[in-house]
């Protein structure tokens, strides 16, 4: 795990990505959501062990550029590798890249019910900016999103 590194996510990775996505989220992104993100030129990053095949992917992150800001659209770590510091490392690498690309802050949305992710973001210095009402699908009703940012 010490050799975990980032590389661009390609369409060839999407079976492995969906294998993670469909386990970690109650309302996962579709194949098309990932494919469109890649084709739109969003920053789509695979977090992998340097010398192991795609099946050993630890996780992935997707963010897009705005004006002097970046927006985190997805971040996930494969369940068997969670709670080992990889999510923190991956988020840190996203922040480094976004900053190197000229962003002054990283924005994201998170479900209020996603206490693990909320803890991660708070520990990494994100603050809550507000609420987007009924942002997420959640069955019959929709769930609000907490909007968070980390500025630098
Ligand atoms: C959120 C996620 C990426 C965190 O990845 P991870 O590798 O498990 O996180 P880390 O091990 O780096 O944890 C960093 C900190 O986050 C918090 N945290 C992470 N998972 C947590 C959980 N299940 N419960 C409570 N706190 C949690 C802890 O404060 C942790 O620090 P600690 O281990 O020192 O206590 C991972 O849980 C995941 O993929 N979840 C499903 C997808 C998702 O919800 N993504 C976020 C969408 S907004």
């Amino acid at each position: 795990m010490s050799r975990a590194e980032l590389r661009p996510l390609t369409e060839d990775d999407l079976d492995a990505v969906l294998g993670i996505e469909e386990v970690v989220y109650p309302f996962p992104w579709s194949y098309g959501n990932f494919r469109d993100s890649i084709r739109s030129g969003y920053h789509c990053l695979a977090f992998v062990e340097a010398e192991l095949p795609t099946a050993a992917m630890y996780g992935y992150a997707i963010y897009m550029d705005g004006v002097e800001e970046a927006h985190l659209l997805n971040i996930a770590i494969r369940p068997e590798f969670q709670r080992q510091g990889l999510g923190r490392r991956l988020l840190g690498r996203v922040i480094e890249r976004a900053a190197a690309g000229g962003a002054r802050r990283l924005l994201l949305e998170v479900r209020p019910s996603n206490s693990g992710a909320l803890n991660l973001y708070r520990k990494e210095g994100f603050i809550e900016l507000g609420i987007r009402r009924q942002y997420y699908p959640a069955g019959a009703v929709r769930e609000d999103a907490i909007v968070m940012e980390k500025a630098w």
Side-chain angles (χ1 to χ4, degrees):
M1 201 168 301
S2 57
R3 302 213 48 210
E5 65 176 26
L6 287 183
R7 66 163 173 75
L9 196 64
T10 71
E11 292 186 30
D12 289 340
D13 293 313
L14 292 188
D15 286 345
V17 165
L18 283 174
I20 299 172
E21 178 80 8
E22 290 175 355
V23 175
V24 299
Y25 286 113
F27 295 90
W29 279 21
S30 66
Y31 185 97
N33 293 144
F34 285 102
R35 185 198 55 214
D36 292 348
S37 294
I38 293 170
R39 294 185 182 178
S40 298
Y42 296 168
H43 302 269
C44 300
L45 304 166
F47 200 40
V48 296
E49 178 65 33
E51 289 168 10
L52 294 180
T54 307
M57 186 185 292
Y58 293 134
Y60 47 86
I62 297 176
Y63 71 95
M64 59 185 280
D65 294 323
V67 179
E68 293 195 349
E69 66 185 32
H71 198 134
L72 185 65
L73 302 176
N74 198 333
I75 184 167
I77 296 293
R78 197 163 137 184
E80 54 269 49
F81 295 113
Q82 290 182 5
R83 299 309 303 266
Q84 297 171 45
L86 285 169
R88 178 182 286 124
R89 282 167 63 183
L90 178 53
L91 182 62
R93 300 290 295 277
V94 166
I95 290 169
E96 284 170 18
R97 282 186 171 230
R104 305 298 311 274
R105 64 176 186 158
L106 182 65
L107 286 158
L108 57 83
E109 286 86 21
V110 56
R111 288 178 188 263
S113 60
N114 192 347
S115 56
L118 270 170
N119 281 344
L120 168 63
Y121 300 141
R122 286 178 179 141
K123 275 197 175 170
E124 294 308 299
F126 283 77
I127 58 163
E128 296 178 19
L129 285 185
I131 300 286
R132 286 195 212 285
R133 298 281 169 210
Q134 302 186 355
Y135 182 79
Y136 290 113
V141 291
R142 293 180 72 86
E143 184 173 356
D144 294 344
I146 299 174
V147 183
M148 303 186 86
E149 76 157 8
K150 177 169 173 150
W152 52 82

